[in-house]
Amino acid sequence: MEDRKNIALFIDIDNAKISLEVFNSILDKLVELGDIIYVKVYGFNERKHIKFGEVIEENGFDSAPTMRFKKRSKSQLDMRVIIDSMRAYFTWPHINSFCFVVGEGDMVSLLSFLRAGGKGLITVETNNPDGNDHMYSDKIVLDVDYARPSRISKKDLSSKLKDISSRSASLNEDDDNYIEQRAQIIAEIEEILSSRDEGADAEEDDMFESLQSLLDILKSSE
């Protein structure tokens, strides 16, 4: 019987546009392969990734905030991934498998180094492979759709903000459907916030922040 793997996961939830559902599915699939020894989550924002924060804290995962790139609309490989994976390689030799779910970028040198050092490499099957499939020793297939959330247009964002703000203002705690209506609005706001990315302009950022503030208020009354 093949020995179970000791796995380190490096995942950029912002650049790779990872939903919480996809994140949890990745964790489940890795557990089938072995023991998850270390996880670092990049692109984490406490206000933008509320649900992720709960998972990160519960499991004791490391996290790093979003880095601002000059070309904000383009996903780029976070160089901290390379630095941290090399640190893990030299610090924790018992980790024998590395899984990367990150933004676009040249991973060849890192993957070659880890493979030459006897480490297993794990990737996630997607509709847009990174071109390095031949270098991975394992590929996990998720039970959920690995699809980047559609970016909401400024016009639709403005319309949804007005609608949600109006409905929130009309909430009445004495209404029999108050709890259900509030939960529905919270779910709608969280879905919209999941589409927020680094390509948003200042006006869009303001609208997203307004939704985030409204979400904080609604959640504080739960």
Side-chain angles (χ1 to χ4, degrees):
M1 180 178 178
E2 184 179 354
D3 292 336
R4 283 178 62 81
K5 305 177 189 301
N6 290 329
I7 303 167
L9 168 64
F10 300 88
I11 181 166
D12 191 330
I13 60 176
D14 196 49
N15 276 336
K17 300 292 184 276
I18 299 296
S19 68
L20 182 62
E21 185 179 25
V22 168
F23 182 57
N24 286 330
S25 182
I26 290 172
L27 294 177
D28 290 342
K29 290 297 182 180
L30 289 179
V31 167
E32 293 178 7
L33 291 177
D35 300 315
I36 302 176
I37 304 299
Y38 179 77
V39 175
K40 187 155 188 178
V41 182
Y42 302 84
F44 173 66
N45 182 304
E46 290 184 352
R47 293 177 64 81
K48 180 179 175 182
H49 303 114
I50 298 173
K51 295 296 185 181
F52 277 99
E54 296 174 1
V55 176
I56 291 170
E57 182 178 0
E58 179 181 346
N59 291 280
F61 297 156
D62 280 345
S63 64
T66 300
M67 290 190 74
R68 295 282 178 175
F69 297 107
K70 292 181 179 180
K71 296 181 180 179
R72 299 178 66 209
S73 61
K74 180 177 177 59
S75 294
Q76 299 186 34
L77 177 63
D78 192 328
M79 293 303 294
R80 294 175 298 183
V81 173
I82 297 176
I83 295 170
D84 291 338
S85 57
M86 292 296 288
R87 181 182 295 117
Y89 175 88
F90 288 108
T91 305
W92 303 311
H94 61 291
I95 291 179
N96 54 31
S97 297
F98 288 71
C99 180
F100 298 98
V101 185
V102 295
E104 299 173 2
D106 185 3
M107 296 281 290
V108 173
S109 295
L110 174 62
L111 297 178
S112 296
F113 175 85
L114 294 173
R115 190 171 68 167
K119 305 301 183 182
L121 301 174
I122 305 170
T123 188
V124 178
E125 184 175 77
T126 71
N127 294 328
N128 300 302
D130 62 11
N132 297 319
D133 277 12
H134 62 288
M135 304 190 73
Y136 294 100
S137 51
D138 291 280
K139 178 183 290 186
I140 58 177
V141 180
L142 305 183
D143 295 326
V144 297
D145 183 24
Y146 187 120
R148 297 189 175 195
S150 300
R151 189 175 188 277
I152 188 171
S153 69
K154 184 185 295 188
K155 181 179 179 180
D156 287 343
L157 178 59
S158 176
S159 176
K160 288 180 180 293
L161 173 59
K162 292 177 182 177
D163 174 63
I164 289 175
S165 297
S166 175
R167 288 159 54 201
S168 299
S170 65
L171 286 175
N172 185 341
E173 293 187 16
D174 295 326
D175 192 318
D176 291 339
N177 296 321
Y178 167 73
I179 295 178
E180 180 181 348
Q181 292 171 350
R182 183 186 62 189
Q184 181 178 355
I185 293 175
I186 288 175
E188 288 180 29
I189 294 176
E190 290 180 335
E191 181 178 359
I192 294 171
L193 291 176
S194 71
S195 71
R196 185 177 186 178
D197 62 27
E198 293 299 299
D201 62 25
E203 186 177 356
E204 290 171 318
D205 277 336
D206 287 341
M207 288 190 280
F208 279 120
E209 285 302 316
S210 294
L211 284 169
Q212 181 64 65
S213 297
L214 181 55
L215 179 64
D216 292 341
I217 293 172
L218 291 171
K219 281 183 165 290
S220 68
S221 62
E222 286 184 323

